[in-house]
Amino acid sequence: MTEVTGELADRIVAAAHAVPGVAGLDGGAFNEVATYLPGRRVPGVRLTEEARIEVHIIAAYYSDVCAVADAVRDAVTPLVAAPVDVIVEDLEAPTDMP
């Protein structure tokens, strides 16, 4: 089973942020989606009870949301020894929209 350490959580976040169309990671409605570590938490990354890794993202408004989610899964999968689920929590509109 994959144990999500601070280093691994940071690598997952970096891999997700590197995908074009990812505006950020999201901790869920009540910030419950996180990896809890000594002295800090990493929002948007969670190991579930079913031994799956969840990555909760905010996608850019004009992106192909399904393609972005697939790209995040492809980027994170080599880092972990567990299935990866990508959840699109929200869309972020560009700041120059009227």
Side-chain angles (χ1 to χ4, degrees), residues 52-87:
R52 300 180 74 86
I53 300 293
E54 289 183 359
V55 182
H56 293 244
I57 65 168
I58 300 168
Y61 183 76
Y62 290 112
S63 64
D64 178 341
V65 175
C66 292
V68 171
D70 287 343
V72 170
R73 184 178 306 102
D74 291 345
V76 173
T77 296
L79 304 176
V80 297
V84 177
D85 296 320
V86 179
I87 296 90

Side-chain angles (χ1 to χ4, degrees), residues 26-34 36 41 43-44 46 56 89:
D26 190 81
F30 300 103
N31 288 319
E32 76 282 5
V33 178
Y36 295 91
R41 44 192 299 281
R46 172 169 62 187
H56 293 244
E89 290 281 353

Side-chain angles (χ1 to χ4, degrees), residues 34-56:
T35 298
Y36 295 91
L37 302 165
R40 70 183 179 115
R41 44 192 299 281
V42 180
V45 177
R46 172 169 62 187
L47 175 65
T48 69
E49 291 179 11
E50 296 82 25
R52 300 180 74 86
I53 300 293
E54 289 183 359
V55 182
H56 293 244

